[in-house]
Amino acid sequence: MEGGGARNVSAAAAQTKGSADDGSCKPLPPCCVKAQAAAPESEAKCHATVVSGWFTGTRSRSGKPSKAQYFNNPMWPGEAHSLKVEKILYQGKSPYQEVLVFESSTYGNVLVLDGIVQLTDKDECAYQEMVTHLALCSIPSPKNVLVVGGGDGGVLREIAKHDSVETIDICEIDQLVIDVCKDFFPRLYVGYKDPRVRLHVGDAVEFLRNSPEGKYDAIIVDSSDPIGPAQELVEKPFFQTIARALKPGGVLSNLAESMWLHTHLIQDMLSICREVFKGGVHYAWASVPTYPRFSTSLHHLF
Amino acid sequence: MEGGGARNVSAAAAQTKGSADDGSCKPLPPCCVKAQAAAPESEAKCHATVVSGWFTGTRSRSGKPSKAQYFNNPMWPGEAHSLKVEKILYQGKSPYQEVLVFESSTYGNVLVLDGIVQLTDKDECAYQEMVTHLALCSIPSPKNVLVVGGGDGGVLREIAKHDSVETIDICEIDQLVIDVCKDFFPRLYVGYKDPRVRLHVGDAVEFLRNSPEGKYDAIIVDSSDPIGPAQELVEKPFFQTIARALKPGGVLSNLAESMWLHTHLIQDMLSICREVFKGGVHYAWASVPTYPRFSTSLHHLF
């Protein structure tokens, strides 16, 4: 769910647009303002940092005042999900995004990019398993698989469970995400240890364009949410680039947001995909407690 | 989800225990301290009221300081879900619980009992439909159906869609819940308008004991969460009382908490139910965004 590679798709698109519209070419990718786009400015200010929760002014057993720290994941206006913070493990900034890792009270370690929870130890399995196995089990004996984004390694770990797979390419733009997951999410990072994995750190769209046509049996886009500036991820040119890199009969598995909040987005995406992928377009969902709206969903094309 | 009838089960149990242990017999049912039991005292203080959120000190367009109000649903330690409050519509107290209704920004009207979100306009359908139709579709031509709790009317509305049903009894302990839903949740209250519905305001366990043996084809327990003081709802005597009131081949549908948080509780409940209900015990789940852990689940016995 880092979506580094996919984020770069947006970044590239935004930069192109910037150049065309006003001559400017900011290196900041649109993903970095995603949180701000999703909520009023006053609320967005709280996104990227750990904030003190409602439970202020209490006293610890020692008699000294203490504050319970909560991380707020305010992905959508009008609601928020918060996790109690035990300890900040890492804070840093890559050329692409702010990276935060904290230990939560009840969800294990938590990875946060640009203020948005990407995964937790407790519930990451539900996402990784679904986005991977639905795709790979829908076609006979997948051999060559590409992961776009997915720098944490969780999807790699799941792909590696398929014996038929011969090569697993991953294109993740953000080296910092990979390094942080190596240190703090060993159960995901283990995915890189499979000898079939080949890591490419870079722009996923460029990588896809340089790939031989029809190379992959399956492509799994483990990206950021296609809301606001990352809208390109659910538009036709992106899907056409993917389709070119797939073998006939190949499958794309892609995040498709929440059926509780984004029915129009889902409808549009399915409609576009039915034009590009003639083999069939399907929608599925799973329950992932710490994702916004707590169910994630994907469409599934082949 | 009011669980009025079911709460009374706990209340009766607690009162009995109180009398036996120390001679006291407080009228306050255990449900009123449920929130406090589920979180440390310092956090529990915030449960029953609307609290100001993290987003303080912002300025409105008029230039005057304003505070965004969020309602915190801190059902489980270590995490919380918050809804933005537009307007408080009702605040009151029955002999059984505190009742709050507010208009939210994005989930319509919200019913809160003792500080715990019970339902919202936006997502109530997912719960009501699942808890009702799984049960009623699992047996041929259900005729007599009982709802324990469910004072909002949502389960009644769903039961009424089954043409085979001849009588729909509902036993809800809290008249205030019914009255509030009449005023603020007309799309649920409409359930009472079906001529097959017979409302009984009172103690559900007493009602069940006074029912003829084998009267009901289906019983739907639309109760509070079986955590802490409401533990009795998942213990053997309660299920035996239900089983006595069911016809052979009848079905019970009952809230069974979240598969993400309560696997031990679910395991224990299924184990007990397999002793009481010989026809089969099943577990199912649905996604309900505003319920704690955002998926609700039920076991299903026949």
Side-chain angles (χ1 to χ4, degrees), chain A:
Chain A
M1 267 295 281
E2 295 67 48
R7 283 172 185 230
N8 194 55
V9 177
S10 304
Q15 284 174 21
T16 308
K17 279 185 185 172
S19 304
D21 293 348
D22 55 21
S24 70
C25 188
K26 283 188 177 179
L28 187 75
C31 57
C32 293
V33 291
K34 183 172 67 175
Q36 284 80 346
E41 192 199 353
S42 58
E43 301 188 2
K45 285 178 185 163
C46 301
H47 289 194
T49 55
V50 173
V51 297
S52 55
W54 313 280
F55 311 130
T56 55
T58 61
R59 287 184 180 274
S60 66
R61 286 184 185 176
S62 66
K64 291 178 184 172
S66 67
K67 283 185 179 183
Q69 296 285 312
Y70 276 72
F71 180 85
N72 171 21
N73 186 8
M75 185 74 185
W76 310 114
E79 60 184 309
H81 183 223
S82 307
L83 293 175
K84 194 168 184 179
V85 178
E86 289 296 322
K87 194 178 173 186
I88 303 294
L89 300 174
Y90 178 84
Q91 286 186 86
K93 198 167 183 174
S94 78
Y96 307 102
Q97 53 205 341
E98 287 183 4
V99 179
L100 167 70
V101 180
F102 68 87
E103 182 193 330
S104 66
S105 297
T106 50
Y107 277 80
N109 289 356
V110 180
L111 174 65
V112 183
L113 299 181
D114 282 340
I116 308 291
V117 169
Q118 302 295 307
L119 61 86
T120 79
D121 277 334
K122 184 182 172 88
D123 66 1
E124 54 89 12
C125 59
Y127 171 79
Q128 321 279 7
E129 290 176 8
M130 184 170 173
V131 82
T132 304
H133 300 308
L134 273 189
L136 297 191
C137 293
S138 70
I139 54 173
S141 303
K143 288 193 176 69
N144 300 312
V145 183
L146 170 65
V147 181
V148 172
D152 55 77
V155 169
L156 299 177
R157 178 191 69 200
E158 297 306 317
I159 296 170
K161 293 175 181 172
H162 291 257
D163 289 340
S164 70
V165 171
E166 294 170 3
T167 64
I168 309 172
D169 285 328
I170 173 168
C171 188
E172 161 67 55
I173 200 171
D174 198 341
Q175 183 66 49
L176 182 58
V177 168
I178 300 168
D179 295 341
V180 158
C181 290
K182 184 178 182 180
D183 290 341
F184 299 108
F185 298 91
R187 289 191 301 176
L188 290 105
Y189 187 79
V190 70
Y192 285 100
K193 296 187 177 169
D194 191 281
R196 293 167 291 179
V197 171
R198 295 183 301 206
L199 170 64
H200 310 267
V201 177
D203 180 319
V205 164
E206 198 183 315
F207 181 85
L208 278 162
R209 286 192 186 130
N210 293 333
S211 296
E213 204 173 319
K215 179 176 181 184
Y216 294 104
D217 299 280
I219 297 177
I220 297 170
V221 180
D222 183 7
S223 72
S224 59
D225 300 286
I227 303 293
Q231 178 68 21
E232 287 85 357
L233 295 183
V234 293
E235 289 180 352
K236 203 167 178 177
F238 177 71
F239 289 120
Q240 286 170 326
T241 307
I242 294 276
R244 184 194 153 276
L246 278 176
K247 275 184 196 159
V251 60
L252 160 65
S253 180
N254 197 33
L255 186 65
E257 298 307 291
S258 166
M259 61 184 179
W260 281 106
L261 291 177
H262 312 113
T263 46
H264 287 292
L265 183 146
I266 293 166
Q267 202 167 19
D268 290 350
M269 197 190 312
L270 294 182
S271 172
I272 291 169
C273 287
R274 286 199 181 96
E275 291 175 27
V276 179
F277 298 85
K278 302 296 187 187
V281 176
H282 302 279
Y283 182 85
W285 63 281
S287 159
V288 185
T290 53
Y291 280 2
R293 287 311 64 254
F294 319 105
S295 68
T296 195
S297 47
L298 53 90
H299 62 212
H300 175 215
L301 310 105
F302 62 93

